[in-house]
């Protein structure tokens, strides 16, 4: 089978835009940084900051594993190579956060450990069985993670935000996956029904695991609630209310994303 063909700009590509470089901060993530390649210096982390880095790094690790597992399903060798390259980029992001945690004199497995069970369970429940589902999963994961960071963006300092925002790797994954999904749907329009069901199952599993983490990870929940835009948080009850609103927002955006992909309804 021939490699995936590019979607013309302004047509289908515009509707497959769950992650895009829109802010100056995000654009700067693609540019070389002074001293890049050297061990990072410690940064000031707010309460819950290490937990946010742990969650992000564990998510990066799981995303790397999911991309690696999807590579053999690629319909062409060119696409298989592309997926392997993207997986390596994802691992590089994980390694950068791991290096920062080490610079903070934290033990990486200990910081990531609290999120392993929930994210592994989510990965297992949403594991794709075919190529179309695997690229859809990549799109949905990237979109969900981008929406989450956008929601807390204004409440994070620049150094912490630079570590957790999606960045160029996410843009490349979304671009590739969007084009591959469009090709898969062109080749098999009848497959849209199964993909729509997958999208709904993805949402249900995400809600369940997020609620599980919220109930257990108090410091992370507090940071997320206080970083959320436009909310005054004075008590644990307020925090839970803000996070509940955030979860509703994430699922609403997920539904819109499925609709843009032609998988809503």
């Amino acid at each position: 089978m021939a490699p995936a063909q590019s979607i013309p700009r302004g047509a289908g590509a515009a509707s497959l835009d769950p992650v895009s470089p829109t802010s100056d901060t995000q654009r700067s993530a693609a540019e070389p940084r002074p001293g890049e390649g050297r061990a990072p210096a410690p940064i000031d982390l707010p309460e819950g900051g290490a937990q946010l880095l742990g969650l992000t790094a564990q998510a990066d690790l799981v995303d790397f594993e999911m991309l690696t597992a999807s590579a053999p399903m690629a319909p062409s060798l060119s696409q298989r190579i592309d997926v392997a390259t993207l997986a390596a980029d994802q691992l590089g992001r994980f390694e950068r956060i791991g290096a920062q945690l080490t610079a903070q004199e934290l033990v990486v497995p200990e910081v990531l450990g609290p999120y392993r069970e929930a994210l592994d369970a989510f990965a297992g429940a949403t594991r794709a069985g075919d190529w179309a589902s695997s690229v859809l999963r990549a799109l949905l994961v990237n979109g969900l993670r981008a929406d989450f960071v956008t929601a807390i963006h204004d409440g994070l300092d620049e150094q912490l935000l630079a570590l957790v925002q999606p960045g160029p790797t996410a843009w490349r994954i979304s671009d590739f996956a969007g084009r591959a999904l469009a090709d898969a749907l062109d080749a098999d329009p009848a497959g849209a029904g199964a993909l729509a069901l997958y999208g709904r199952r993805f949402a249900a599993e995400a809600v369940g695991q997020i609620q599980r983490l919220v109930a257990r990870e108090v410091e992370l929940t507090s940071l997320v609630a206080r970083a959320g835009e436009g909310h005054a948080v004075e008590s644990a009850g307020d925090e839970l209310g803000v996070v509940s609103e955030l979860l509703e927002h994430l699922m609403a955006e997920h539904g819109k994303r499925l609709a843009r992909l032609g998988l809503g309804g």
Side-chain angles (χ1 to χ4, degrees):
M1 183 176 294
Q5 298 299 310
S6 297
I7 301 172
R9 292 291 178 188
S15 67
L16 304 175
D17 187 29
V19 181
S20 60
T22 55
S23 72
D24 291 339
T25 306
Q26 287 176 321
R27 288 190 187 98
S28 70
E31 299 169 359
R33 300 174 185 273
E36 190 166 2
R38 299 201 298 261
I43 62 175
D44 291 330
L45 289 176
E47 184 177 355
Q51 288 77 9
L52 180 60
L53 290 178
L55 173 64
T56 303
Q58 183 64 30
D60 286 338
L61 181 60
V62 171
D63 288 350
F64 160 75
E65 293 168 344
M66 292 292 100
L67 285 168
T68 302
S70 71
M73 293 186 278
S76 72
L77 181 57
S78 175
Q79 288 169 308
R80 184 171 182 173
I81 293 169
D82 286 342
V83 173
T85 302
L86 292 169
D89 288 346
Q90 190 73 56
L91 185 61
R93 174 183 154 98
F94 163 80
E95 290 172 338
R96 285 191 293 276
I97 296 178
Q100 187 62 59
L101 289 171
T102 299
Q104 305 294 133
E105 299 186 352
L106 298 170
V107 179
V108 174
E110 291 180 2
V111 180
L112 273 60
Y115 312 103
R116 177 181 178 180
E117 183 179 354
L119 293 183
D120 280 355
F122 176 68
T126 60
R127 188 176 300 274
D130 55 54
W131 174 244
S133 296
S134 71
V135 292
L136 175 59
R137 185 187 190 282
L139 277 171
L140 297 180
V141 166
N142 266 4
L144 182 64
R145 294 185 63 179
D147 290 340
F148 170 69
V149 175
T150 297
I152 63 173
H153 179 283
D154 290 342
L156 301 179
D157 67 64
E158 186 175 335
Q159 290 179 305
L160 181 56
L161 178 61
L163 288 164
V164 302
Q165 66 185 359
T169 296
W171 311 334
R172 289 192 291 268
I173 291 172
S174 289
D175 181 68
F176 172 83
R179 296 171 190 276
L181 179 62
D183 286 344
L185 288 171
D186 285 344
D188 181 20
L195 291 174
L197 288 173
Y198 176 89
R200 290 194 286 274
R201 178 162 58 87
F202 178 99
E205 294 293 340
V207 168
Q209 295 304 333
I210 291 171
Q211 289 175 333
R212 181 179 180 183
L213 287 175
V214 166
R216 190 176 63 201
E217 300 302 320
V218 177
E219 290 186 358
L220 176 62
T221 298
S222 180
L223 174 66
V224 170
R226 294 176 189 281
E229 185 177 0
H231 292 288
V233 178
E234 298 179 356
S235 67
D238 289 340
E239 290 175 355
L240 292 176
V242 171
V243 173
S244 178
E245 289 179 14
L246 171 59
L247 183 54
E248 290 180 8
H249 169 72
L250 293 178
M251 291 303 102
E253 293 302 309
H254 173 79
K256 293 176 185 176
R257 186 168 297 110
L258 288 175
R260 289 195 298 270
L261 295 168
L263 303 174

